[in-house]
Amino acid sequence: MKRVITFGEIMLRLAPEGYYRFVQAEKFNATYGGGEANVSVSLANYGYDAKFVTKLPKHQIGQAAVNSLRKYGVDTSFIARGGDRVGIYFLEKGASQRPSKVIYDRAGSSISTATTADFDWDKIFDGVDWFHFTGITPALGDSATAVCLEACKKAKEKNITVSCDLNYRNNLWSKEKAGKVMGELCQYVDVCIANEEDAGDVFGITSKGTDVTKGAVNHDGYKDVAKQLMDRFNMKKVAITLRTSISASDNNWAAMLYDGNGYYFSKEYPVRIVDRVGGGDSFGGGLIYASLEGFEPQKAIEFAVAASCLKHTVEGDFNLVDVAEVTKLAGGDASGRVQR
């Protein structure tokens, strides 16, 4: 069984029912999620030994976050306990031309106060095949950056494949700080995942002819983006998700994979969105699985995109699908017919 470690923050997600706006809400649905935690759930559902590493308070809300992962088979044995609070994010779902909105309340969360002393990476990485983190985690503060850097160095010492989803968030740090920090961390990254905007926001590497606000995505321009990322950081693979936003309710979804030898574009799916949060994480989980299974590049990118396409139809952060469902869609059955 393949073993994967992900490291980051899991948060309490509070969302009004359905498509109610924040100002209308009289109650909020409580679930849990976060970039790297979402990847762990995907991989656990695919049958892998997926371990999520973070720091959470010892109180009951911290335990509820731990339980949300255990429910889906994620190993939580390396979660450090301490600090005072679980980070929170509020989600208002968009519809048609009204965009979704996210408000964060995560300052001072336990993971942002974690130090290198909280984690024994020698022990955590014992027998591990893959390590994954995102650009959100080091954005939580200098201490979180130091932990990420130590983990990346230890992973490389042990010849563990390292992947990173750039995941730039402009409300967490500046582009200048992101470029400096991620520039150092990406020296250790083998597989880089980005969307249409991340490479430009973090490293100033942009695709000509792309305007995400107008739904214009120049696929050929991303060949150059991927090549520049690989050349700058000596990566083995670069994957870029390609989202054409028709509205908040309808997107076209595809991706590209570059492995230094060729560029591989997936088929494009028209997606009617139920919940798009976690879409990129589900893509990352699919790509990690496909890579560890030794899929050839075209099959790998098709699997990852199909996994993410299905996530857009699932409520909550977690992608609650299995390998058979993803394989069926990647193989061409997108009919959505009732399974009896």
Side-chain angles (χ1 to χ4, degrees):
M1 182 186 295
K2 300 295 185 182
R3 295 180 177 179
V4 180
I5 297 290
T6 72
F7 171 68
E9 179 173 29
I10 185 169
M11 293 181 290
L12 171 63
R13 163 175 154 166
L14 297 177
E17 293 183 319
Y19 293 94
Y20 276 78
R21 305 212 69 184
F22 287 137
V23 294
Q24 293 176 289
E26 296 181 348
K27 56 184 175 180
F28 291 82
N29 292 319
T31 55
Y32 293 87
E36 299 88 349
N38 299 343
V39 172
S40 279
V41 171
S42 283
L43 293 169
N45 284 333
Y46 298 153
Y48 279 5
D49 180 358
K51 296 179 171 66
F52 177 62
V53 180
T54 191
K55 187 173 184 179
L56 286 168
K58 295 180 180 179
H59 57 52
Q60 289 91 338
I61 302 301
Q63 189 60 44
V66 172
N67 293 348
S68 73
L69 296 165
R70 288 178 175 171
K71 178 179 179 180
Y72 297 108
V74 175
D75 187 328
T76 60
S77 58
F78 291 117
I79 291 180
R81 304 303 290 267
D84 298 323
R85 68 183 304 248
V86 176
I88 300 171
Y89 83 92
F90 297 86
L91 171 67
E92 177 187 284
K93 284 188 183 180
S96 192
Q97 282 69 44
R98 176 173 60 82
S100 297
K101 291 187 177 181
V102 172
I103 297 174
Y104 289 111
D105 178 16
R106 66 200 305 179
S109 64
S110 289
I111 187 62
S112 69
T113 66
T115 69
T116 55
D118 287 313
F119 308 101
D120 182 349
W121 292 108
D122 270 316
K123 184 176 181 181
I124 292 170
F125 283 142
D126 184 36
V128 168
D129 300 288
W130 196 290
F131 172 59
H132 178 76
F133 72 102
T134 78
I136 295 174
T137 303
L140 298 176
D142 293 342
S143 180
T145 295
V147 177
C148 277
L149 183 59
E150 183 178 78
C152 285
K153 288 180 177 178
K154 184 59 65 174
K156 298 311 290 184
E157 283 179 21
K158 293 179 173 291
N159 200 31
I160 296 168
T161 299
V162 178
S163 62
C164 175
D165 188 334
L166 293 181
N167 256 353
Y168 176 71
R169 297 291 185 268
N170 61 13
N171 60 351
L172 292 179
W173 57 356
S174 68
K175 293 179 180 179
E176 291 74 20
K177 181 70 177 288
K180 180 180 178 181
V181 171
M182 296 306 296
E184 183 175 13
L185 290 171
C186 280
Q187 301 292 334
Y188 303 92
V189 171
D190 301 295
V191 179
C192 180
I193 300 168
N195 66 20
E196 304 94 336
E197 302 169 273
D198 288 335
D201 288 333
V202 179
F203 297 122
I205 300 173
T206 59
S207 170
K208 296 179 180 178
T210 289
D211 186 338
V212 295
T213 62
K214 295 180 180 179
V217 177
N218 177 18
H219 290 192
D220 287 339
Y222 284 101
K223 293 180 180 180
D224 184 52
V225 170
K227 188 176 188 305
Q228 286 191 59
L229 282 169
M230 182 175 285
D231 290 347
R232 183 180 297 189
F233 298 108
N234 195 32
M235 296 166 174
K236 295 177 182 177
K237 295 179 183 179
V238 176
I240 299 178
T241 56
L242 304 169
R243 183 189 298 275
T244 302
S245 294
I246 299 166
S247 71
S249 302
D250 294 281
N251 287 180
N252 292 331
W253 183 247
M256 182 202 76
L257 178 65
Y258 176 54
D259 66 357
N261 297 311
Y263 300 93
Y264 305 88
F265 286 85
S266 74
K267 63 174 66 73
E268 185 175 66
Y269 294 94
V271 179
R272 173 59 57 88
I273 295 173
V274 171
D275 191 332
R276 73 168 275 182
V277 177
D281 306 321
S282 60
F283 173 83
L287 186 64
I288 292 169
Y289 174 83
S291 298
L292 285 171
E293 290 296 302
F295 290 2
E296 54 85 21
Q298 189 64 51
K299 184 179 179 181
I301 195 65
E302 296 291 0
F303 185 92
V305 169
S308 186
C309 176
L310 289 173
K311 166 60 195 79
H312 286 75
T313 72
V314 179
E315 291 277 7
D317 275 51
F318 299 155
N319 192 21
L320 306 179
V321 300
D322 58 30
V323 171
E325 291 173 305
V326 179
T327 301
K328 185 174 183 179
L329 178 57
D333 186 351
S335 65
R337 293 177 63 87
V338 176
Q339 302 294 303
R340 301 184 190 275

